[in-house]
Amino acid sequence: MDTEKIKSIMKMFEESQISKMDLTDGDLHITLEKEMEPVEVVKTIKSTPIQEVEEVKQEQGTAITSPLVGTYYQASGTNQEPFVKVGQHIQEGDTVCIIEAMKVMNEIKATVSGTVLSINVSDGETVEYDQVLMMIG
C-alpha cells in the first residue's frame, strides 16, 4: 500500500466512513502494520482524528498533544481567564491548559514557543492520550 492509499484510509476515517474498530480489526490493520512502522500504526489508530504528526507540523505548525486521558480545562477555575487564546504568543514552558485525571489537576506546558494558531478542544471536553489540543506556529 502506498502513501496515497494510507492517506485515503485516514480521510475515510475522518469523514466517519470507517470506524476505529475497522482500523484495528482484520485485513486493514494488517495492511497498515506492513506499510508503517509499529509506532506509526499505534499513533495512527489512537489519534482522533487520524493525523500523521510530521504532516501536521509541516502544514499547520506544531501540535501540543494530551499526555493523558482526562478532562480538558482552559482556565484554572470558573470565571478565570483562559491560560491561552488563539493569536496569543506563548513561550516554551508556559502553562497552556489543565487536564484533570482521577481528580488530579495536571498542568500542561507548552513544548515550543510561538503563536497559538488553534485550540482544538472545548472547555470541559474529555480528551484522549495523544489527542491534539492546540496548534502552535
Side-chain angles (χ1 to χ4, degrees):
M1 186 184 317
D2 60 24
T3 303
E4 291 305 313
K5 181 77 170 175
I6 293 170
K7 286 182 182 179
S8 171
I9 291 169
M10 290 177 179
K11 185 173 176 160
M12 288 172 64
F13 175 79
E14 289 172 358
E15 294 172 353
S16 300
Q17 295 176 16
I18 58 176
S19 69
K20 261 189 188 179
M21 189 59 82
D22 292 333
L23 287 177
T24 57
D25 285 341
D27 295 333
L28 182 56
H29 184 242
I30 293 166
T31 303
L32 284 174
E33 280 185 339
K34 288 179 182 175
E35 295 299 322
M36 304 170 74
E37 294 294 318
V39 171
E40 291 175 321
V41 172
V42 170
K43 282 185 179 179
T44 299
I45 291 171
K46 290 204 179 267
S47 61
T48 307
I50 294 177
Q51 299 174 3
E52 290 183 53
V53 174
E54 291 305 315
E55 190 174 88
V56 169
K57 284 182 182 177
Q58 290 172 0
E59 292 179 11
Q60 301 175 351
T62 301
I64 294 181
T65 60
S66 177
L68 56 139
V69 174
T71 304
Y72 170 89
Y73 293 107
Q74 64 184 3
S76 60
T78 308
N79 300 324
Q80 297 293 314
E81 285 293 314
F83 290 106
V84 297
K85 296 178 183 176
V86 172
Q88 179 180 342
H89 186 78
I90 60 171
Q91 296 295 321
E92 183 176 347
D94 287 353
T95 300
V96 295
C97 67
I98 291 175
I99 296 181
E100 178 185 7
M102 298 177 64
K103 299 185 181 186
V104 175
M105 298 298 193
N106 301 278
E107 289 187 354
I108 307 305
K109 306 284 186 178
T111 53
V112 295
S113 297
T115 301
V116 179
L117 301 175
S118 67
I119 299 175
N120 300 30
V121 292
S122 300
D123 195 43
E125 183 178 335
T126 300
V127 294
E128 296 181 24
Y129 171 77
D130 211 27
Q131 180 176 343
V132 175
L133 302 174
M134 57 192 69
M135 298 301 297
I136 309 300

